[in-house]
Amino acid sequence: MDANEKKKIILVDDNIANLTLGKKVLKDQYEVFTVPSAEKLFQLLGVITPDLILLDIEMPGVNGYAALRKLKEDNADFDIPVIFITSLTDSDSEFEGLSLGAADYIAKPFSPPLLIKRIENTIKLADQKIELKKFNEHLQEMVEKKTEQVLELQSAIMSTLAEMVEFRDNITGDHVGRTVKYLKVLINGMKGKGVYREEMDSWDLNFLLPSAQLHDIGKIAISDLILNKPGKLTDEEFAIMKKHPSIGVEVIHRIEEQTTEDDFLENAKIFAQTHHEKWDGSGYPDGLKGEDIPLLGRLMAVADVYDALISKRPYKEPMSPEKAKMIIEEGSGTHFDPKLVAVFLEVSDDFAKIAENQ
């Protein structure tokens, strides 16, 4: 709006003398539109958007209270300030008007200077609300942009660390990337079936999924001779390999000590520590059983084992998705959470598509 452009006011009153007087008082400072009824007001609002409405209460047909109620019912975002001007001076009438959302309540006969001042104050307050709303929207955009930047940085850090592990453990291919994709499919399947809904309601997938990339970060401390051994590990070598979940938690803890933005690492520690636990308690490193295993660990167990089955290793050929599906199903209640296996079976075709694109 041009700084010199007059603010628009609609004056609604069924008394022609009041309309004439009101326009005379206000015309030097405002662009005034006069209408004799609420029905005419509704019509005019379809043509112009005023900065303020002066509304009489006692009118035939639709009175002022009903008019304001209809305006707010028809438009949830209706924020044009309304000042009631009326000969009703009792406190109950004033209370009702203000309760409906009127910005002010002026009794007739009014003092022209007082009317002008109260209109001025009401419009100024409305303008300040608009500016505050714009500021808050801009602030929200800034917060969202900053959050997006933080998420991108966090994801880049985790992706880089995961790539370092895969570079050393060169037999796994894009194991990390595929397991994250499997997790997303599995979580979407859980949402569809309502499995563990209450726990999932607290998850922020923008943080959770990228953090899964660090589930094998502990392998960074395992010898290359073990990681890349072209054959089955000895018992001693497997005992060393079994340390990688706990080592992973320690690595992530060290990262936490170097940053104040560490919320995203809490999920990473759970993935790292618990993805080799088994439903029947025979897993490692802590031998957790059933739902004592965090849900994130139980999820990663399905994704991790499936990917190991369909991947080529020096000591084995890759299994088909159908065979991998069968093994996951057979592990229900022993290796895997039965509820998650049921979901997996529903989405196994999507797992197979991810596997076939490796």
Side-chain angles (χ1 to χ4, degrees):
M1 178 182 289
D2 190 297
N4 296 319
E5 185 178 345
K6 289 182 178 180
K7 298 282 189 178
K8 296 181 178 66
I9 292 178
I10 297 179
L11 173 57
V12 189
D13 197 309
D14 63 311
N15 187 306
I16 300 300
N18 290 336
L19 293 178
T20 303
L21 175 61
K23 185 164 187 176
K24 181 179 179 181
V25 169
L26 301 172
K27 66 178 182 178
D28 289 342
Q29 293 178 255
Y30 302 100
E31 186 176 359
V32 183
F33 300 84
T34 59
V35 291
S37 66
E39 291 84 356
K40 293 294 185 181
L41 167 66
F42 301 145
Q43 294 175 12
L44 185 58
L45 287 174
V47 179
I48 69 166
T49 301
D51 297 284
L52 182 137
I53 298 172
L54 295 173
L55 185 58
D56 185 24
I57 293 177
E58 296 180 292
M59 295 184 294
V62 180
N63 67 23
Y65 294 146
L68 181 54
R69 191 178 294 112
K70 177 175 172 57
L71 288 172
K72 291 188 176 294
E73 288 176 352
D74 291 349
N75 184 358
D77 297 324
F78 182 82
D79 56 5
I80 299 170
V82 173
I83 296 178
F84 279 130
I85 299 182
T86 179
S87 57
L88 298 175
T89 57
D90 62 284
S91 59
D92 289 343
S93 296
E94 183 173 358
F95 179 78
E96 182 175 0
L98 295 175
S99 297
L100 288 172
D104 206 346
Y105 193 99
I106 300 176
K108 297 178 184 177
F110 54 80
S111 162
L114 179 61
L115 176 64
I116 291 173
K117 190 62 181 177
R118 292 175 81 162
I119 289 174
E120 179 184 319
N121 289 342
T122 300
I123 291 179
K124 183 181 296 184
L125 180 60
D127 287 345
Q128 290 172 347
K129 286 182 179 179
I130 292 172
E131 290 303 314
L132 181 59
K133 182 179 180 181
K134 290 180 179 178
F135 173 79
N136 286 335
E137 290 174 349
H138 179 61
L139 183 62
Q140 181 64 27
E141 291 176 0
M142 292 174 61
V143 170
E144 290 174 355
K145 184 175 182 179
K146 182 64 176 178
T147 300
E148 183 179 344
Q149 291 173 341
V150 170
L151 288 173
E152 289 177 353
L153 176 60
Q154 292 170 355
S155 183
I157 291 172
M158 289 184 283
S159 177
T160 300
L161 290 171
E163 287 174 0
M164 290 173 61
V165 174
E166 289 206 327
F167 180 76
R168 295 186 62 240
D169 187 7
N170 57 28
I171 62 174
T172 62
D174 187 29
H175 168 70
V176 169
R178 288 193 301 274
T179 53
V180 171
K181 292 176 183 177
Y182 297 142
L183 281 178
K184 186 173 183 179
V185 168
L186 201 52
I187 289 171
N188 286 336
M190 291 167 66
K191 288 181 178 179
K193 294 179 69 69
V195 175
Y196 296 120
R197 175 177 295 163
E198 289 186 9
E199 185 167 350
M200 291 177 61
D201 283 344
S202 64
W203 291 357
D204 184 341
L205 296 186
N206 289 323
F207 284 90
L208 189 148
L209 289 174
S211 69
Q213 297 175 98
L214 297 186
H215 72 278
D216 270 339
I217 189 64
K219 287 183 177 180
I220 201 167
I222 304 300
S223 167
D224 289 345
L225 296 177
I226 295 176
L227 282 180
N228 298 312
K229 182 179 179 179
K232 188 175 181 180
L233 300 179
T234 65
D235 290 344
E236 293 79 9
E237 290 169 337
F238 187 56
I240 294 173
M241 178 65 84
K242 286 166 66 175
K243 294 179 180 179
H244 82 268
S246 298
I247 294 172
V249 173
E250 179 59 29
V251 170
I252 295 169
H253 179 66
R254 292 181 184 179
I255 297 172
E256 282 182 312
E257 292 177 336
Q258 304 300 318
T259 179
T260 57
E261 296 286 347
D262 60 3
D263 289 348
F264 71 105
L265 294 173
E266 289 301 316
N267 291 328
K269 287 192 292 186
I270 297 172
F271 280 126
Q273 180 74 11
T274 64
H275 69 285
H276 282 296
E277 300 290 351
K278 296 183 180 180
W279 186 255
D280 63 5
S282 64
Y284 64 87
D286 299 312
L288 299 178
K289 185 176 182 179
E291 292 191 6
D292 287 340
I293 306 168
L295 181 53
L296 296 184
R298 280 138 54 201
L299 280 164
M300 181 56 81
V302 175
D304 193 50
V305 171
Y306 182 90
D307 195 68
L309 294 172
I310 59 94
S311 298
K312 180 179 175 60
R313 296 288 187 267
Y315 52 87
K316 78 171 187 69
E317 290 300 312
M319 291 183 183
S320 67
E322 293 78 11
K323 179 64 174 176
K325 174 183 175 181
M326 185 184 304
I327 291 176
I328 297 292
E329 184 175 12
E330 291 172 350
S332 177
T334 53
H335 194 147
F336 309 109
D337 180 340
K339 291 182 180 179
L340 297 187
V341 172
V343 175
F344 163 77
L345 294 176
E346 294 278 345
V347 298
S348 60
D349 288 347
D350 293 322
F351 269 58
K353 290 176 183 178
I354 294 169
E356 290 166 357
N357 289 329
Q358 64 174 306

